[in-house]
Amino acid sequence: MPPAVNAKSVTRNVGWSVLSKTGTFGLKFVTVPILARILSPEEFGAVAVALALVQFLAMIGGAGFASGLVIQREEEMATIHSVFWTNLAISAAMALAIFLTADELAALCGAPEAGYLLRIMSLLIPLQLAGDVAYALLARRMQFSRDALWSMISESAGALIAVGLALLGAGVWALIAQLFSSAAIRLVGLYVVSGYRPRPVFHPRSVVSLGRFSLGMMGSEIANFITFQSPMVVISRYLGLADAGAYSAANRFSSIPNQVVLSAVMGVLFPAFSSMMHDRERRSQALLLSTQVTTVLLAPMMFGLWALAEPAMRVLFGQQWAHAWPVLALLSLSKGILTPCSTYIPYLKGIGRGGMLFWWAVFRAAATTGAVAYAAMAGTLVDAMIALCVVNAIVLVGYTGVVYRADRAPLRGLLVTSRPMLTSIAMALIVRYLLDVHGHLMPNPAAQLIVGIAIGGAIYSVMTLVFERQLLLKLGELVRKRGSNPAVSAAE
């Protein structure tokens, strides 16, 4: 049986996960600008289009079978081996299909130049899916520290290889080498720490039984994946690889804050809300507090990046990407708008509203793809990003309505959770105004960036002390309680 889970074990594993994500995306914070300075937008775009298709098919190829192993009461080795061979067979078939039709698929995505890259990157599918079973075993044993260690090792090695090859003039092959080296090192690490070794055992009934559960989980995940990746394909098809490269670089950079903070937190909130399913008052308080905290942390980062996108693009990515600063600004704005949804989604899962999540995920995927495609066909990349912001604003309103109806929460809670976002927007508008009006007094973009961060940080700190005093006092009280009585804290 999976080990017992309590607050102490969850906190420890979240800590490891956050450490891993911080290290991984900290590397991206450094390597993405370095690679962007060395490589061209067309090279970035070609790899991004091919990778989007490969990742989508890899997710479908796994079909969620490995995730079904996590909830099994016992580690039945026959079932584990059966899932491994199923994943391997499906991934090999998909890789072969992509290899044979790479040119046609690349042209369909609007990037015919990426055909040879897609043919090579098709081998990533079996390389990624071969480790799913080993990771599932670590997850059910709550051994995230081991996965975190190998994730940091693999990403560090891949980043060093990519930068080294790029400096040597390898061009687009630097990005390819990064993907394959990271995947291969992590695969080896997963087998080392999990102790799993495949055996020639296959029970079709075990796979079918897991499939009923796994396929039910995949619907909303596929819709979410389409939401995140469809803009890349649409932009490449209608605006070209240069714009796709600009979008890819800006999107990868603007996603770092969200991915560092939320990737671990969202995984913890789901079981936490599940344990409160029948206690409406307690779960409402937890929803209010978690939404406030995540918004206080993330909103100023995203809206602040919107305000400082122009000097940030010049300093981090170089002059050849300077024209793309509006793309970085609008992507940061679109992600900032959705900040509260980071708690709404696990909340709806936890209280058993999976059907609502599925249909909202489908709506969001269709709306995002349609709006970005229409704007790209009728206008420019900036128009497509504006359309994305509009869709995300509608999605936020929809999720908020669903959550507050499901919880029958008073509107006061909506005001409390929205206040940090409004404060962040006010801060960003002030910083942007000062940059537009007085930026000429400090023409150096690095100086503009440093001064802008300092001014924005000071303004937001003062606003937070004024408007979020009760939240700060509550968090301070929680910290004092945990520090004074760790035994009680672990039992909570």
Side-chain angles (χ1 to χ4, degrees), residues 197-215:
R197 301 294 182 271
R199 296 288 185 270
V201 176
F202 183 76
H203 290 177
R205 289 186 179 180
S206 299
V207 176
V208 172
S209 177
L210 279 180
R212 296 191 186 101
F213 165 79
S214 302
L215 293 176

Side-chain angles (χ1 to χ4, degrees), residues 147-169:
D147 174 62
L149 176 63
W150 277 97
S151 292
M152 288 188 285
I153 292 174
S154 63
E155 291 294 335
S156 299
L160 291 173
I161 290 171
V163 172
L165 289 176
L167 291 172
L168 292 174

Side-chain angles (χ1 to χ4, degrees), residues 8 13 70 83 86 91 97 115 127 130 156 193 197 206 235 261-262 267 269 295 333 378 380 408 413 418 421 454 456:
K8 185 176 180 180
N13 282 286
V70 178
V83 170
T86 300
S91 62
L127 194 60
S156 299
V193 297
R197 301 294 182 271
S206 299
I235 290 166
V261 176
L262 298 181
L269 290 178
T295 307
L333 180 61
T380 65
R408 301 191 300 277
S418 301
M421 183 181 294

Side-chain angles (χ1 to χ4, degrees), residues 289-308:
L289 179 61
S290 59
T291 304
Q292 277 185 282
V293 172
T294 53
T295 307
V296 164
L297 290 174
L298 283 175
M301 297 184 197
M302 305 316 303
F303 290 110
L305 186 55
W306 166 82
L308 297 171

Side-chain angles (χ1 to χ4, degrees), residues 372-412:
V372 172
Y374 177 79
M377 287 187 290
T380 65
L381 179 58
V382 172
D383 296 319
M385 296 300 95
I386 293 173
L388 183 61
C389 290
V390 173
V391 170
N392 283 354
I394 295 172
V395 169
L396 173 62
V397 172
Y399 271 124
T400 301
V402 168
V403 166
Y404 280 87
R405 280 201 306 271
D407 200 46
R408 301 191 300 277
L411 291 178
R412 183 187 64 83

Side-chain angles (χ1 to χ4, degrees), residues 128-398:
Q128 291 176 347
L129 290 185
D132 275 8
V133 167
Y135 175 77
L137 293 177
L138 291 177
R140 64 175 285 112
R141 298 167 186 167
M142 295 294 287
Q143 296 176 340
F144 291 99
S145 60
R146 299 183 179 184
D147 174 62
L149 176 63
W150 277 97
S151 292
M152 288 188 285
I153 292 174
S154 63
E155 291 294 335
S156 299
L160 291 173
I161 290 171
V163 172
L165 289 176
L167 291 172
L168 292 174
V172 72
W173 297 105
L175 295 173
I176 299 297
Q178 180 182 22
L179 294 171
F180 275 92
S181 58
S182 294
I185 293 171
R186 186 167 186 267
L187 177 63
V188 172
L190 286 173
Y191 279 97
V192 169
V193 297
S194 69
Y196 174 66
R197 301 294 182 271
R199 296 288 185 270
V201 176
F202 183 76
H203 290 177
R205 289 186 179 180
S206 299
V207 176
V208 172
S209 177
L210 279 180
R212 296 191 186 101
F213 165 79
S214 302
L215 293 176
M217 293 180 60
M218 290 304 295
S220 60
E221 294 300 325
I222 291 175
N224 286 332
F225 191 90
I226 292 173
T227 298
F228 299 134
Q229 297 296 340
S230 63
M232 172 60 64
V233 176
V234 168
I235 290 166
S236 171
R237 182 171 181 81
Y238 294 110
L239 298 176
L241 281 181
D243 279 352
Y247 170 82
S248 175
N251 187 52
R252 290 174 70 178
F253 185 75
S254 62
S255 297
I256 291 173
N258 274 339
Q259 291 173 319
V260 169
V261 176
L262 298 181
S263 55
V265 174
M266 289 183 69
V268 173
L269 290 178
F270 167 49
F273 286 133
S274 296
S275 67
M276 307 173 193
M277 181 182 297
H278 303 296
D279 189 341
R280 189 174 69 84
E281 182 177 355
R282 186 169 168 233
R283 79 190 191 205
S284 296
Q285 293 175 352
L287 174 65
L288 184 67
L289 179 61
S290 59
T291 304
Q292 277 185 282
V293 172
T294 53
T295 307
V296 164
L297 290 174
L298 283 175
M301 297 184 197
M302 305 316 303
F303 290 110
L305 186 55
W306 166 82
L308 297 171
E310 185 172 6
M313 203 74 181
R314 294 179 185 277
V315 171
L316 297 173
F317 289 84
Q319 192 59 36
Q320 68 169 333
W321 296 85
H323 68 283
W325 76 262
V327 179
L328 177 60
L330 290 167
L331 276 171
S332 303
L333 180 61
S334 70
K335 297 177 191 301
I337 290 171
L338 287 179
T339 299
C341 291
S342 59
T343 56
Y344 293 167
I345 293 174
Y347 177 78
L348 290 174
K349 284 183 179 180
I351 65 173
R353 301 299 178 95
M356 287 184 179
L357 272 179
F358 170 75
W359 288 112
W360 269 104
V362 171
F363 166 77
R364 184 182 175 189
T368 298
T369 305
V372 172
Y374 177 79
M377 287 187 290
T380 65
L381 179 58
V382 172
D383 296 319
M385 296 300 95
I386 293 173
L388 183 61
C389 290
V390 173
V391 170
N392 283 354
I394 295 172
V395 169
L396 173 62
V397 172

Side-chain angles (χ1 to χ4, degrees), residues 35 39-55 111 113-118 121 124 171-180 229 232 236 241 244-245 248 252:
L35 293 172
L39 306 177
S40 69
E42 289 80 6
E43 289 172 325
F44 246 93
V47 173
V49 170
L51 184 60
L53 182 58
V54 167
Q55 287 179 331
E113 304 93 330
Y116 75 101
L117 291 175
L118 187 57
M121 291 170 66
L124 280 172
V172 72
W173 297 105
L175 295 173
I176 299 297
Q178 180 182 22
L179 294 171
F180 275 92
Q229 297 296 340
M232 172 60 64
S236 171
L241 281 181
S248 175
R252 290 174 70 178

